[in-house]
């Protein structure tokens, strides 16, 4: 334990500060494909009963019209966040007529690429821009990859923590700059240690054979329909999942906020020859927003992002440059197919303790070699994290994964205790013990449990996933929302449809001019 970490821990443990952690904020975004009763991708439009995917605050779509995304409000208790996520699931399941939420991250058997429906958001300029952006994703990465689903965990530390730490450490910068620097330091430590999350929560060691579309691969055959790797934790996060050559050189090492925003600004402003060869329009039809390395900032596939709530019409980079980092978004989490919500309270509480550790631990800048080893460790764990005797690289030396994981979990103990003192009870300590059990016995990990289930039942991946999807739907529909909650969700759906209609009514000017102004905005924010 570093001296700096010990001082920060002691500061949070002082009686006057013990309730501070009750003001952390937690939010979840859960993606999931809509499928029919046979486990095939739904070809139906986004259900009107769920509201407008453009303007509804809690229910939208991601890449495909069939890829739902449920969003919770930011809550001060992760238990309240999970409860909010469950309410959205219960409402959506009640409204899906003959359709179900696909239980794992890796997709159901998909139709031909051209038959995967891209999400639509109506005829407003912003709705059309979101659709064209997704058309660009199809050109750049293919539709199949975009049908992978995941869970994003949003987390912020209390605003009152930053001036407290700053005074204790004698830092003379403005609080906004100090806060941003500490969040970027958190992200550096996340890069160092996020392999642990892949081991503990990776839940995609297998996939349906059709996902690869006949491409060459190094996977093994579990049965006629299922491919897998025996020690994998998360094929979703491997090069079979989110991977693109254009982004190969775009790996910010997060040594400060300015270098991060500058790297993204360059990517959204720098032409990429293969995309330029396609162009933005053909016969008057938009194909992609631009021909740059990234169309927009959110196209960058990262395991974690620094974030700031944006104002209407404001781009993410502009918000970060203007007002600094407000929270982080963890993006590497698989959906656990054994859980109706894809995540549970133990995982959320462990993530809180893990992210607080990343924030308080000393976090020197990442040298080029360490950047490479962080990436190497992460990729090794997603493909073979449960391999007996697996070693990772730490400070240029090999270290057994099990030993390093055990050390990290031991260092999280005082942080779990801090959260339990803040909230009362022993929920955080129990969540930590559940993860320690997985290190002691890899068969307890979701990835091992999934493979064991397939073998024991003689089930294909698609049969397992459909069975889980139907079971989750049954459990959620067995507990319908109360009348007041149901009416509130239905009112929200109606209001979102009215808001979309109003946006479409108010729009003026051409869509081409709207796109041009949107593209120019990234150049004119003074960064």
């Amino acid at each position: 334990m570093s001296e700096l970490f010990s001082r920060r821990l002691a500061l949070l443990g002082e009686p006057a500060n013990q309730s501070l952690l009750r003001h952390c904020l937690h939010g979840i975004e859960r993606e999931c494909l809509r499928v029919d009763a046979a486990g095939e991708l739904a070809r139906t439009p986004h259900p009107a009963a769920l509201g407008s995917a453009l303007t509804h605050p809690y229910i939208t779509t991601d890449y495909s019209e069939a890829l739902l995304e449920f969003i919770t409000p930011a809550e001060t208790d992760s238990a309240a966040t999970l409860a909010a996520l469950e309410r959205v699931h219960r409402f959506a399941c009640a409204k899906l007529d003959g359709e179900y939420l696909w239980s794992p991250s890796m997709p159901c058997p998909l139709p031909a690429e051209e038959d995967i429906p891209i999400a639509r958001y109506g005829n407003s300029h912003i709705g059309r821009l979101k659709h064209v952006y997704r058309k660009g994703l199809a050109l750049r990465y293919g539709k199949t990859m975009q049908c992978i689903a995941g869970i994003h965990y949003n987390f912020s530390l209390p605003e009152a923590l930053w001036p407290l730490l700053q005074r204790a450490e004698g830092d003379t910068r403005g609080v906004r700059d100090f806060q941003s620097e500490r969040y970027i330091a958190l992200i550096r430590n996340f890069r160092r240690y996020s392999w642990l999350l892949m081991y503990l929560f990776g839940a995609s060691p297998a996939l349906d054979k059709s996902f690869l579309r006949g491409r060459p691969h190094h996977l093994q055959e579990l049965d006629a329909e299922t491919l897998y790797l025996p020690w994998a934790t998360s094929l979703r996060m491997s090069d079979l999942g989110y991977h693109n050559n254009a982004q190969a050189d775009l790996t910010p090492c997060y040594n400060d906020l300015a270098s991060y925003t500058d790297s993204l600004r360059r990517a959204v402003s720098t032409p990429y020859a293969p995309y330029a060869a396609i162009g933005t329009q053909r016969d008057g039809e938009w194909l992609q927003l631009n021909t740059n390395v990234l169309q927009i900032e959110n196209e960058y596939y990262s395991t974690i992002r620094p974030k700031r709530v944006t104002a209407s019409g404001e781009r993410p980079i502009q918000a970060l440059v203007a007002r600094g980092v407000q929270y982080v978004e963890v993006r590497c989490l698989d959906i656990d197919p054994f859980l109706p919500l894809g995540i549970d309270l133990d995982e959320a509480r462990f993530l809180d303790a893990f992210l607080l550790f990343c924030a308080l631990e000393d976090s020197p800048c990442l040298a080029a070699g360490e950047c490479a080893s962080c990436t190497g460790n992460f990729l090794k764990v997603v493909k073979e994290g449960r391999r007996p005797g697996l070693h990772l690289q730490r400070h240029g030396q090999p270290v057994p994964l099990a030993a390093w994981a055990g050390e990290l979990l031991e260092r999280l103990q005082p942080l779990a205790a801090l959260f339990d003192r803040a909230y009362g009870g022993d929920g955080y300590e129990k969540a930590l013990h559940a993860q320690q059990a997985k290190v002691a016995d890899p068969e307890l990990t979701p990835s091992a449990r999934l493979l064991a289930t397939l073998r024991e039942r003689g089930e294909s991946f698609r049969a397992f996933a459909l069975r889980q999807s139907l079971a989750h739907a049954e459990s959620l529909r067995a507990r319908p929302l109360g009348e007041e909650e149901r009416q509130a969700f239905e009112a929200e759906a109606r209001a979102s449809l009215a808001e979309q209609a109003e946006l479409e009514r108010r729009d003026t000017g051409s869509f081409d001019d709207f796109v041009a102004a949107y593209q120019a905005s990234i150049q004119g924010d003074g960064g």
Side-chain angles (χ1 to χ4, degrees):
M1 186 181 295
S2 71
E3 182 185 345
L4 182 61
F5 180 75
S6 298
R7 289 203 309 269
R8 290 169 174 168
L9 200 60
L11 184 66
L12 272 178
E14 290 177 5
N17 300 328
Q18 282 188 8
S19 64
L20 199 58
L21 292 181
R22 293 182 64 89
H23 301 284
C24 294
L25 289 175
H26 323 73
I28 294 173
E29 302 160 31
R30 188 261 167 106
E31 303 160 350
C32 47
L33 288 170
R34 284 187 294 116
V35 299
D36 63 21
E40 302 285 339
L41 187 74
R43 310 287 188 92
T44 51
H46 181 69
L50 299 183
S52 164
L54 179 65
T55 54
H56 198 292
Y58 310 129
I59 304 173
T60 182
T61 52
D62 194 88
Y63 171 75
S64 172
E65 190 76 347
L67 185 55
L68 287 168
E69 183 174 355
F70 299 149
I71 304 166
T72 73
E75 303 280 2
T76 54
D77 187 340
S78 48
T81 304
L82 267 293
L85 185 64
E86 182 177 323
R87 287 192 294 273
V88 179
H89 276 73
R90 287 159 66 191
F91 174 73
C93 282
K95 295 299 183 182
L96 292 179
D97 185 13
E99 294 179 350
Y100 301 87
L101 306 176
W102 188 246
S103 59
S105 280
M106 298 308 289
C108 61
L110 296 172
E113 280 268 322
E114 60 270 20
D115 294 329
I116 296 174
I118 298 175
R120 293 189 173 275
Y121 301 91
N123 297 318
S124 67
H125 290 336
I126 189 62
R128 289 182 64 192
L129 183 139
K130 288 168 73 73
H131 179 68
V132 172
Y133 166 60
R134 284 157 176 77
K135 290 177 70 174
L137 295 178
L139 284 173
R140 294 163 178 234
Y141 315 105
K143 294 181 178 180
T144 298
M145 188 184 88
Q146 298 295 321
C147 290
I148 298 171
I151 283 180
H152 299 168
Y153 194 77
N154 299 309
F155 178 79
S156 70
L157 288 157
E159 293 289 319
L161 173 65
W162 307 115
L164 185 71
L165 279 176
Q166 190 176 19
R167 285 193 301 271
E169 294 173 19
D171 193 291
T172 58
R173 287 172 294 179
V175 151
R176 188 194 78 180
D177 291 339
F178 178 80
Q179 175 174 324
S180 290
E181 189 275 331
R182 293 312 314 153
Y183 272 121
I184 295 296
L186 180 162
I187 289 172
R188 286 197 298 273
N189 277 336
F190 185 91
R191 291 263 293 133
R192 290 179 170 105
Y193 307 126
S194 54
W195 58 265
L196 179 62
L197 301 182
M198 295 296 91
Y199 175 84
L200 295 173
F201 304 112
S204 56
L207 48 81
D208 189 79
K209 186 182 288 187
S210 66
F211 175 79
L212 292 175
R213 308 280 192 193
R215 289 181 289 140
H217 61 82
H218 299 291
L219 303 182
Q220 298 179 25
E221 193 172 278
L222 189 65
D223 59 42
E225 297 178 340
T226 307
L227 298 174
Y228 80 115
L229 284 177
W231 308 112
T233 62
S234 178
L235 295 178
R236 166 181 171 262
M237 293 305 298
S238 75
D239 53 8
L240 291 171
Y242 289 107
H243 180 73
N244 173 255
N245 289 334
Q247 295 192 23
D249 296 327
L250 181 59
T251 308
C253 280
Y254 302 101
N255 282 337
D256 55 67
L257 179 60
S259 65
Y260 172 78
T261 56
D262 285 349
S263 67
L264 287 188
R265 192 197 314 277
R266 284 193 301 274
V268 297
S269 307
T270 304
Y272 184 64
Y275 302 158
I278 298 169
T280 56
Q281 297 187 48
R282 183 180 301 146
D283 300 327
E285 179 185 348
W286 278 88
L287 304 176
Q288 54 184 339
L289 292 177
N290 57 46
T291 61
N292 299 329
V293 174
L294 302 178
Q295 297 174 91
I296 62 175
E297 304 94 299
N298 285 351
E299 189 175 332
Y300 173 53
Y301 296 129
S302 55
T303 57
I304 186 170
R305 285 177 182 163
K307 298 289 290 283
R308 160 71 60 176
V309 173
T310 56
S312 177
E314 186 179 38
R315 296 181 63 153
I317 292 179
Q318 293 172 313
L320 286 172
V321 169
R323 299 185 300 284
V325 184
Q326 184 179 20
Y327 65 100
V328 292
E329 177 189 38
V330 175
R331 300 170 49 80
C332 58
L333 301 171
D334 283 352
I335 296 166
D336 188 328
F338 294 101
L339 301 172
L341 309 184
I343 183 173
D344 63 9
L345 190 52
D346 271 357
E347 182 174 350
R349 284 174 168 161
F350 178 81
L351 288 168
D352 293 347
F354 179 81
L355 291 168
L356 180 60
F357 167 75
C358 290
L360 298 184
E361 177 60 293
D362 195 16
S363 181
C365 288
L366 289 160
E370 191 180 5
C371 254
S373 71
C374 289
T375 301
N377 286 340
F378 188 90
L379 293 177
K380 181 176 278 192
V381 173
V382 301
K383 282 194 169 182
E384 49 181 336
R386 288 178 291 103
R387 181 186 294 280
L390 183 70
H391 283 63
L392 304 178
Q393 287 293 313
R394 180 172 63 179
H395 308 311
Q397 300 295 321
V399 58
L401 178 149
W404 194 1
E407 290 172 21
L408 286 172
L409 294 178
E410 189 67 30
R411 294 171 73 186
L412 292 183
Q413 185 69 48
L415 302 171
L418 280 178
F419 273 112
D420 278 336
R421 284 204 294 274
Y423 286 103
D426 59 357
Y428 281 85
E429 185 178 4
K430 286 181 175 176
L432 179 59
H433 288 165
Q435 311 321 314
Q436 289 172 322
K438 292 178 189 175
V439 173
D441 182 3
E443 293 305 307
L444 297 176
T445 60
S447 55
R449 290 176 60 211
L450 191 155
L451 291 179
T453 301
L454 298 186
R455 292 189 177 105
E456 289 164 7
R457 297 179 65 100
E459 250 179 344
S460 67
F461 170 76
R462 67 172 71 178
F464 162 80
L466 179 59
R467 179 170 59 81
Q468 292 296 114
S469 302
L470 299 177
H472 294 335
E474 184 178 352
S475 71
L476 290 164
R477 288 170 178 166
R479 294 175 292 112
L481 292 174
E483 185 64 17
E484 187 175 333
E485 287 180 326
R486 181 186 63 78
Q487 289 184 6
F489 269 106
E490 290 178 346
E492 192 76 68
R494 291 192 298 270
S496 69
L497 291 168
E499 185 179 352
Q500 177 182 323
E502 178 62 15
L503 282 173
E504 293 171 353
R505 187 188 68 79
R506 286 205 318 260
D507 269 347
T508 58
S510 73
F511 178 65
D512 289 13
D513 288 343
F514 179 83
V515 174
Y518 186 83
Q519 303 290 16
S521 67
I522 201 64
Q523 306 297 337
D525 59 16

